[in-house]
Amino acid sequence: MKLTIERSVLLKSLGHVQSVVERRNTIPILSNVKLDATPDGLKLNATDMDLEIVETAEAQVQDAGATTAPAHTLHDIVRKLPDGSQIELTYNAEDSQLALRSGRSRFSLSCLPVEDFPAMVGGEFSHSFTLSAGDLRALIDRTRFAISTEETRFYLNGIYLHATKSEGVDVLRAVATDGHRLARFEVPLPEGAGGMPGVIVPRKTVGELRKLIDETGMDVAISLSETKIRFGFDEATLTSKLIDGTFPDYERVIPTENDKVMEVDRKLIADAVDRVSAISTEKSRAIKIAMEKGVVTLSASSPEAGSAVEEVEASFDAGPLEIGFNSRYLMDILGQIEGEAARFDMADAASPTVIREVSDGAAIYVLMPMRV
C-alpha cells in the first residue's frame, strides 16, 4: 500500500474515526483503525463492536492495499504535523510496519493483520428515510442533556426515537429521561419513516453522530431495523447497535392537568437561576421558586455559603405557590428554549412541572420538584 494525502483531509477523517475507538481495550485490534487504499481514495474504518464508522478521504493512491494501525497514535502524529503538509503512507507487509513521511518527519508504526479486524454484520434494514441535518441536530440537541448516565437503567442510556401522532399530525419524536427530568422534541415525519419500530439510540452513538452533523449541511440518510441503525453522510457512514430494552411509557409522566401557569422572560429567569444557585450546596443544587401575582422570587441558602434572593417579573394569576428545583436541571432546560418566553405549567409543590416555549409546541420538558 502506498498513497499521498493532505494533512487536513487525513486529520478530519482520523478525528471522526479515532473517537469511536475506546482508550482502554482488552482486544488489541479494536485499538486500531483499518486503512484501505482503493482507487476511490483512503477508506478508514473503526469500531468498538457496538458502533462502527467508515469514512472515505481523498488521496492519491499509488499502490492499493490495506492494513490496521494504532488509531490514537496515528491521530496524534498527524495532528502535530505542520498545517498544509503532504503525508506519504507506505505499508510493508514483510515487516508489518506502516511508514509515515512528511517533510523531514519519519514515523514507523506497528500494524496488526487486516484479517483480524472485525466486520460489523450488516443485516437487513426494514426502514429507510432521509432527514435534514437541521432536523436531526434539533432532535439531538433538544433532548440529549436528559439522557441517563446510570448504567443500571440501561434502557434510559439513549434517545428514544419513534414515529407517532401529535394532534393528528404524523411526527418523528425524540425522548430522553433520567427519572428526574424528561425532554421531548418532534419534527414532521419524513417519508418512509411511517411504521418504523421505536428504537433507543445509545448515548455514545448520539455524541459521534452530533459531531458528523456539524460538518454537513446535507440531508442524512437513515436506515434502521429492530437491532441496528445506520446514518449515511457524504463521505461517512455510522452504524450502531441499538439498546435492547423497552423505553418506559413516558406519556404517563407528562401531566396534562397542571392549571397554575407562569410565563416569564427566558433569559431573565435563566440568569437569575444562575446567580442564585451560586449559594446552593454542591450536592443538592436546590433553589426555591416562590410565585405570586406578577412576580417570581428565587432563593437559595446553605449553612456554609449563606443565602441569596432575587425577584423577576412574571405573568402569574394563581394563588401563591412555592416549589423547589435542582438548579442545574432547570438551567439545562431553559438553555434549550429558543424563544423569548418560557411557560411553566404547575399543579403543586410535589408534582412534576411542565416547561415549554410559549411560541413553539415542538418541545416539551418535564422537571420533578425537590424538597427545599
Side-chain angles (χ1 to χ4, degrees):
M1 177 181 99
K2 187 174 182 184
L3 62 99
T4 308
I5 187 167
E6 213 257 309
R7 173 196 173 266
S8 63
V9 174
L10 182 56
L11 184 62
K12 181 182 164 192
S13 292
L14 278 173
H16 294 155
V17 299
Q18 64 94 31
S19 61
V20 169
V21 177
E22 294 290 343
R23 286 271 172 196
R24 291 186 201 84
N25 258 315
T26 49
I27 308 167
I29 193 74
L30 294 182
S31 298
N32 281 20
V33 55
K34 181 180 172 186
L35 304 168
D36 193 357
T38 70
D40 297 331
L42 178 63
K43 198 159 113 184
L44 298 93
N45 184 340
T47 183
D48 66 0
M49 303 295 274
D50 291 323
L51 176 63
E52 177 188 67
I53 184 166
V54 180
E55 182 159 345
T56 304
E58 201 179 307
Q60 288 75 51
V61 176
Q62 284 91 29
D63 298 322
T67 186
T68 79
H72 295 304
T73 308
L74 184 57
H75 177 255
D76 228 23
I77 291 167
V78 174
R79 185 172 58 82
K80 291 173 179 177
L81 288 170
D83 212 6
S85 55
Q86 292 290 317
I87 296 170
E88 185 185 277
L89 294 175
T90 312
Y91 173 62
N92 185 344
E94 287 173 20
D95 59 4
S96 295
Q97 296 284 308
L98 177 71
L100 185 152
R101 298 158 64 106
S102 180
R104 294 184 172 185
S105 303
R106 305 279 184 280
F107 297 90
S108 185
L109 299 176
S110 298
C111 299
L112 289 171
V114 76
E115 304 79 52
D116 294 351
F117 195 83
M120 210 162 169
V121 183
E124 290 294 306
F125 290 103
S126 57
H127 290 75
S128 294
F129 54 92
T130 57
L131 200 57
S132 73
D135 277 355
L136 187 54
R137 183 187 290 116
L139 284 167
I140 291 172
D141 286 354
R142 297 292 197 91
T143 57
R144 74 165 168 173
F145 68 90
I147 295 175
S148 174
T149 52
E150 261 185 70
E151 299 304 329
T152 48
R153 302 166 82 188
F154 65 93
Y155 49 86
L156 298 182
N157 294 161
I159 291 177
Y160 180 49
L161 209 57
H162 58 299
T164 187
K165 278 193 184 300
S166 179
E167 295 176 1
V169 179
D170 289 326
V171 293
L172 179 64
R173 185 180 283 169
V175 182
T177 182
D178 59 7
H180 304 289
R181 56 203 168 152
L182 179 144
R184 192 191 92 185
F185 185 76
E186 58 202 26
V187 298
L189 189 70
E191 206 175 315
M196 66 174 257
V199 297
I200 308 171
V201 184
R203 183 175 58 240
K204 182 177 176 181
T205 304
V206 169
E208 296 307 320
L209 177 60
R210 186 62 183 80
K211 289 179 207 164
L212 291 169
I213 295 170
D214 267 348
E215 291 170 24
T216 184
M218 314 285 290
D219 288 353
V220 182
I222 301 174
S223 305
L224 55 83
S225 66
E226 303 243 344
T227 57
K228 285 199 178 73
I229 190 163
R230 176 172 287 168
F231 301 91
F233 294 84
D234 305 336
E235 291 98 18
T237 305
L238 193 70
T239 309
S240 170
K241 289 180 183 174
L242 295 162
I243 292 176
D244 182 14
T246 305
F247 200 79
D249 179 6
Y250 64 89
E251 295 281 14
R252 284 199 4 253
V253 301
I254 302 176
T256 52
E257 305 294 312
N258 287 8
D259 56 350
K260 296 178 175 65
V261 178
M262 174 180 77
E263 288 189 10
V264 62
D265 183 293
R266 183 202 65 82
K267 188 170 183 335
L268 284 182
I269 194 159
D271 290 348
V273 170
D274 197 20
R275 285 189 287 269
V276 169
S277 67
I279 289 290
S280 63
T281 61
E282 192 63 34
K283 191 164 177 248
S284 73
R285 300 178 185 275
I287 64 164
K288 188 192 289 180
I289 296 185
M291 285 143 287
E292 292 176 36
K293 209 176 179 82
V295 68
V296 55
T297 305
L298 294 88
S299 61
S301 63
S302 76
E304 306 84 39
S307 62
V309 179
E310 183 159 344
E311 286 186 354
V312 176
E313 278 183 30
S315 157
F316 184 73
D317 284 336
L321 174 66
E322 281 191 359
I323 192 163
F325 290 122
N326 177 309
S327 59
R328 186 165 59 84
Y329 292 169
L330 182 55
M331 288 288 294
D332 283 345
I333 290 171
L334 292 170
Q336 294 308 319
I337 291 177
E338 291 178 349
E340 288 183 5
R343 170 178 164 147
F344 289 65
D345 295 354
M346 294 158 288
D348 53 54
S351 304
T353 292
V354 177
I355 304 170
R356 65 183 92 199
E357 197 169 309
V358 170
S359 57
D360 176 20
I364 282 184
Y365 303 100
V366 180
L367 185 56
M368 296 301 290
M370 288 179 77
R371 213 182 259 128
V372 180

